[in-house]
Amino acid sequence: MAPRVGFYDLPAEVGEEIVGYLDDEPELNAEPAIHMVEKHKQTLKNFSLVCHYARALVFQLLFLYLRVEMHTISVSEGTSKHNADAHLQGLKDVLAFIQRNNIMKKTRALTLLFPPGFQLGQHIMADFKYKIIKTIVQLNPLTLTLMGHPSLLGNLLDLTVDTRDQWAFGLRLQVVRLRQDHDRSISEKSAIWERPTSLMHSRPWEEAFFNEGSSVEAYSKEEFHTMTTPSILHTHCGWQWWSHLPAVLPFLQHFEFVAIFPLLDHMEEVSLAIQSLPTLVSLKTQLHPSKTAKDNILEDRERVGKAVLSDFWSETAYSYHYLARSISRRSGEDMRLRRWTSSDTNANVDEILGEYLEGRWALVEPGLWERSDPIDL
């Protein structure tokens, strides 16, 4: 009778392969909240506490995806230089740890979490951004995720976010995720990545994800359709920003946009951003609540207020009409976009898109449209 072999009898490389399936990036398509990234990797953490063998197996996996939560530090303005250092102390401690344990090259993703109450004085913002950029260059993560207040994200990305109507939206957190291609050497692209001056230029990003949260609360306000959504895609810069976008993100090929019941006027700005990216190959949109969301946001009477429920659906339908019409008009020009995926398959989105895309585009499966005509790349 052959001896029984348990999990702990397996070769280390086999065990590492198995536990690797327990690790993955957090799901960010629901309304932004701190718990979206807090619960990530909890299974691996628990497994690492079982015994020394288990900890040895998952130790490096625990640092594949780093999450650092920033905290506001109360320091007098007279020590502005040290103030920026104090805010970044948690990040510096994490970097020092992974350097001591020689796992710097194992890190795949870095998440910087700025809680709703996080504040920074303008007198230290430049120094703060510089040190974060320096950290990103040093760590060189494949993925960078930023979660924070709209105006803070704007400051970090060198954008002036219009927050005049922030009071009406109640947006507390938004998420930006940037990803680079690990198969392509940075030196092959441009020397600009060696000493970047902004987060946008910190790495040759090829994928971008933006979740700007819910606009539900704004619908209960009078003349909600005239309000400005606080978002990095709705800035004071206007056309000047869009015209420079290709230079800021020259390698961007994939863009995913998530917003819960966005306003039509804002989607016009989003459309401008998409059209300003001639290198964009694929687009993914989600304008309705996530299918995996545990709570139905429209059942929250406190947030919905006096809003008319039909307005939520009509506004997003008009948004898809506008976006599809804009993309259809540009499809015959210099846009390389050849794939558009909508996560809102529970609505009549495909019917709306079909009104404008049929001919040059084909519906491959529910929610997925692909260019059917050849594109000169």
Side-chain angles (χ1 to χ4, degrees):
M1 182 176 177
R4 297 180 63 181
V5 178
F7 177 78
Y8 300 115
D9 298 314
L10 296 174
E13 58 271 20
V14 177
E16 290 175 358
E17 179 71 19
I18 294 174
V19 298
Y21 288 98
L22 300 176
D23 192 41
D24 197 4
E25 289 186 283
E27 175 62 48
L28 300 175
N29 288 69
E31 187 171 9
I34 293 178
H35 69 79
M36 295 170 70
V37 293
E38 277 186 337
K39 295 181 179 179
H40 177 51
K41 296 196 305 183
Q42 192 60 49
T43 301
L44 281 178
K45 291 178 182 178
N46 292 338
F47 183 71
S48 71
L49 301 175
V50 172
C51 64
H52 290 293
Y53 176 79
R55 178 170 174 77
L57 279 180
V58 304
F59 180 77
Q60 293 190 357
L61 288 177
L62 289 173
F63 297 93
L64 285 178
Y65 305 104
L66 296 180
R67 178 181 65 84
V68 181
E69 183 172 347
M70 303 295 185
H71 297 282
T72 300
I73 307 296
S74 178
V75 181
S76 64
E77 293 192 11
T79 58
S80 60
K81 181 177 180 179
H82 300 291
N83 201 346
D85 289 334
H87 283 287
L88 290 166
Q89 189 58 50
L91 182 58
K92 292 166 66 177
D93 290 343
V94 171
L95 287 174
F97 179 84
I98 63 177
Q99 285 177 327
R100 286 197 307 269
N101 290 275
N102 195 30
I103 52 177
M104 178 74 75
K105 294 182 179 180
K106 296 289 185 178
T107 302
R108 295 180 184 174
L110 172 64
T111 296
L112 300 181
L113 175 61
F114 303 88
F118 184 87
Q119 295 181 350
L120 272 183
Q122 289 299 322
H123 61 290
I124 65 167
M125 178 57 75
D127 191 33
F128 184 79
K129 285 192 294 185
Y130 169 76
K131 287 181 168 63
I132 288 184
I133 293 171
K134 186 177 179 180
T135 298
I136 294 172
V137 172
Q138 179 184 10
L139 192 59
N140 192 28
L142 297 181
T143 304
L144 171 66
T145 302
L146 305 172
M147 178 182 287
H149 187 273
S151 59
L152 177 64
L153 292 183
N155 282 327
L156 291 174
L157 299 172
D158 297 313
L159 299 171
T160 305
V161 175
D162 193 333
T163 58
R164 76 183 86 172
D165 295 326
Q166 167 69 31
W167 63 273
F169 288 81
L171 292 171
R172 304 181 68 199
L173 292 172
Q174 295 181 336
V175 182
V176 175
R177 183 174 63 201
L178 302 169
R179 180 176 286 124
Q180 62 175 320
D181 184 0
H182 68 282
D183 292 328
R184 192 176 303 180
S185 171
I186 290 177
S187 60
E188 294 178 0
K189 296 181 177 181
S190 173
I192 190 175
W193 317 117
E194 297 176 2
R195 294 183 179 179
T197 57
S198 72
L199 280 175
M200 290 287 204
H201 276 147
S202 60
R203 298 289 87 183
W205 308 117
E206 298 191 2
E207 298 181 30
F209 167 93
F210 179 44
N211 183 343
E212 66 177 25
S214 167
S215 298
V216 165
E217 295 179 29
Y219 281 77
S220 63
K221 311 301 187 293
E222 291 186 12
E223 299 183 352
F224 67 85
H225 57 279
T226 65
M227 292 183 171
T228 300
T229 304
S231 165
I232 60 171
L233 294 182
H234 204 137
T235 75
H236 286 302
C237 305
W239 281 98
Q240 293 181 352
W241 162 241
W242 305 134
S243 64
H244 289 91
L245 201 52
V248 175
L249 295 168
F251 298 104
L252 193 66
Q253 296 185 38
H254 313 283
F255 178 52
E256 182 173 355
F257 176 73
V258 177
I260 301 175
F261 298 121
L263 303 182
L264 175 59
D265 283 354
H266 177 56
M267 287 305 297
E268 294 177 4
E269 294 285 327
V270 175
S271 176
L272 286 176
I274 295 171
Q275 295 179 68
S276 300
L277 292 166
T279 58
L280 202 63
V281 174
S282 70
L283 169 68
K284 188 173 182 179
T285 55
Q286 177 190 318
L287 306 186
H288 297 158
S290 171
K291 296 178 181 178
T292 60
K294 295 182 180 179
D295 302 318
N296 185 347
I297 193 172
L298 295 184
E299 294 179 355
D300 189 338
R301 297 310 304 173
E302 183 177 350
R303 299 185 65 182
V304 173
K306 299 179 180 180
V308 179
L309 293 181
S310 60
D311 286 342
F312 295 112
W313 305 105
S314 60
E315 198 78 358
T316 51
Y318 290 141
S319 295
Y320 268 115
H321 274 287
Y322 185 90
L323 192 55
R325 183 169 62 249
S326 301
I327 289 178
S328 176
R329 289 175 177 175
R330 288 293 304 276
S331 293
E333 301 177 13
D334 58 345
M335 282 193 74
R336 298 184 180 182
L337 188 67
R338 58 174 178 262
R339 172 178 287 221
W340 183 358
T341 304
S342 169
S343 299
D344 303 314
T345 53
N346 57 334
N348 61 336
V349 174
D350 283 334
E351 295 179 18
I352 295 174
L353 302 188
E355 294 182 27
Y356 305 94
L357 301 183
E358 284 187 352
R360 285 198 174 102
W361 294 71
L363 181 62
V364 178
E365 60 184 51
L368 174 59
W369 289 81
E370 292 185 349
R371 286 279 294 269
S372 55
D373 61 333
I375 304 175
D376 184 10
L377 299 178

